[in-house]
Amino acid sequence: MSQNKERCVVIVGPTAVGKTKLGIEIAKAFHGEVINGDAMQVYQGLDIGTAKVTEKEAEGIPHHLLDFLDPRESYTVARFQKEAREQIDSLYNKGILPVLVGGTGLYVKAVLYDYQFNEVKEDTAFREHLQKRAEVEGPDPLYRELLEVDPEAKDRIHPNNVQRVIRALEIYHKTGKPMSEHLPENEPALLFDPVIIGLTMERHLLYERINQRVDMMVQKGLIEEAKSLYDQGIRHTQSVQAIGYKELFGAFDGEYSIETAVELIKRNSRRFAKRQLTWFRHQMAIEWFDMTDVENSYKKINEILEFVAGKLKD
């Protein structure tokens, strides 16, 4: 590996494939610490639904950029880029291997590559106006307005992610240009010396694991966790657009039953996993490992550890 760039290990892949466990094993084996690369695990109070690592699961391995942000606050890619790079620098300078683990592709790529984000300042009055409209009219009218000025937003922003829709409209309002024109045009340079590991699994087994995981989340108290956020009046924020919360909020609003919400969580999680796999396979040079043989997962983990050891010696 190159000697003039900081080394790190990156673990990506779809939800429920086993990234958290592998990240901990790599950190244990190579004197590392984990940096969270999941956009929703930064929020406090969103523990069960985001599958946030527990103290027991962490096995004493420190985790950074995890569970620190109020769920009423927004979190940008640019802010994550800055804070994650600072964590990588800090760990590397202490002789600790940074292990970036997460399924939020844009966040991970923004850290590793020289993305320059054009930070357009907020227009508080305009934003408050749009937020009030969203509360009264719902998210659909704002999303339709966004697609009129920035059709490419359809591939980047979910219609229910009201905060991102408002931010995109705010950027257009302030600059006269859609958000897509503020994104980098050329493929940026790689800033670090990463070992990028991707985990995959046969589709039918991954979907089965996702369904079982959602059932387990419900048993652990997902519905109660979501209701607590709902009762606090946390609505139309970036945090509760996470899968698991937005579906249950619909049930709390009386749009459908809790049972329907749970099925929607499973369906939306499966669809999200499919999008994650597609995104990662087209965006980065990744060494993929198939985790389908769940019963022999430790054998596969040892194989990955040997692969990492070889790369770190180069």
Side-chain angles (χ1 to χ4, degrees):
M1 301 180 90
S2 170
Q3 297 300 311
N4 58 3
K5 292 182 181 179
E6 295 175 7
R7 292 174 173 177
C8 62
V9 173
V10 182
I11 303 170
V12 298
T15 186
V17 78
K19 299 185 297 296
T20 298
K21 175 65 175 175
L22 178 62
I24 291 165
E25 293 299 324
I26 288 176
K28 285 163 55 179
F30 300 104
H31 185 50
E33 295 183 9
V34 173
I35 300 171
N36 165 52
D38 183 291
M40 294 302 176
Q41 290 189 3
V42 302
Y43 289 106
Q44 297 170 336
L46 280 74
D47 301 331
I48 299 170
T50 65
K52 202 177 292 177
V53 65
T54 65
E55 184 177 348
K56 181 179 179 180
E57 290 168 344
E59 298 186 48
I61 296 297
H63 283 63
H64 305 277
L65 295 185
L66 187 79
D67 195 43
F68 67 92
L69 195 66
D70 187 283
R72 296 170 183 83
E73 294 185 48
S74 293
Y75 196 60
T76 65
V77 180
R79 179 177 169 186
F80 177 78
Q81 180 191 63
K82 176 178 180 293
E83 294 178 349
R85 287 177 180 174
E86 289 172 352
Q87 285 290 346
I88 291 174
D89 291 344
S90 175
L91 294 176
Y92 185 80
N93 290 334
K94 294 174 185 175
I96 299 170
L97 178 68
V99 184
L100 179 61
V101 181
T104 306
L106 184 58
Y107 276 40
V108 172
K109 193 171 184 181
V111 172
L112 299 177
Y113 292 81
D114 189 22
Y115 276 112
Q116 303 292 328
F117 291 98
N118 184 356
E119 283 288 272
V120 179
K121 291 184 178 180
E122 293 184 6
D123 184 327
T124 305
F126 184 74
R127 173 170 291 199
E128 289 178 353
H129 167 69
L130 293 183
Q131 286 173 336
K132 288 178 182 177
R133 281 190 55 198
E135 291 173 5
V136 174
E137 304 171 24
D140 290 343
L142 294 183
Y143 191 68
R144 288 196 297 268
E145 288 180 22
L146 174 60
L147 295 186
E148 287 178 8
V149 299
D150 187 4
E152 293 181 21
K154 186 175 183 180
D155 296 325
R156 301 191 320 272
I157 303 176
H158 191 279
N160 288 335
N161 194 333
V162 178
Q163 292 302 312
R164 287 198 68 196
V165 171
I166 288 175
R167 177 57 177 161
L169 286 169
E170 182 183 30
I171 288 172
Y172 182 79
H173 174 73
K174 290 207 69 174
T175 67
K177 295 180 180 180
M179 182 186 281
S180 58
E181 293 189 20
H182 292 271
L183 299 174
E185 295 181 5
N186 301 317
E187 184 66 21
L190 190 62
L191 295 178
F192 298 95
D193 195 358
V195 181
I196 307 179
I197 296 165
L199 301 185
T200 187
M201 185 176 285
E202 287 184 8
R203 189 70 56 87
H204 73 92
L205 179 59
L206 179 63
Y207 286 177
E208 182 179 319
R209 282 170 62 90
I210 288 170
N211 292 339
Q212 292 173 349
R213 186 190 219 184
V214 172
D215 288 335
M216 184 62 67
M217 286 177 173
V218 171
Q219 291 178 26
K220 289 181 177 179
L222 172 61
I223 295 168
E224 293 77 11
E225 181 176 85
K227 190 63 163 60
S228 175
L229 296 167
Y230 181 88
D231 289 344
Q232 293 175 56
I234 300 174
R235 304 295 300 272
H236 307 301
T237 63
Q238 183 177 339
S239 61
V240 294
Q241 299 309 315
I243 296 172
Y245 301 92
K246 61 184 179 183
E247 294 86 357
L248 284 168
F249 274 37
F252 301 150
D253 284 339
E255 297 174 13
Y256 40 73
S257 67
I258 292 291
E259 291 76 16
T260 297
V262 171
E263 290 307 310
L264 288 172
I265 294 168
K266 292 177 180 179
R267 184 200 69 181
N268 292 341
S269 297
R270 295 191 300 267
R271 290 178 176 177
F272 179 57
K274 184 178 179 181
R275 291 198 302 273
Q276 286 175 300
L277 280 167
T278 300
W279 195 93
F280 282 118
R281 283 178 172 144
H282 289 87
Q283 293 290 331
M284 289 187 283
I286 297 172
E287 188 72 26
W288 289 96
F289 290 86
D290 192 313
M291 307 299 288
T292 299
D293 189 1
V294 178
E295 293 183 2
N296 292 310
S297 61
Y298 277 97
K299 181 178 180 181
K300 182 63 69 170
I301 287 173
N302 286 332
E303 178 187 333
I304 295 171
L305 292 178
E306 290 178 9
F307 171 79
V308 172
K311 287 292 184 180
L312 294 178
K313 288 179 182 177
D314 290 349

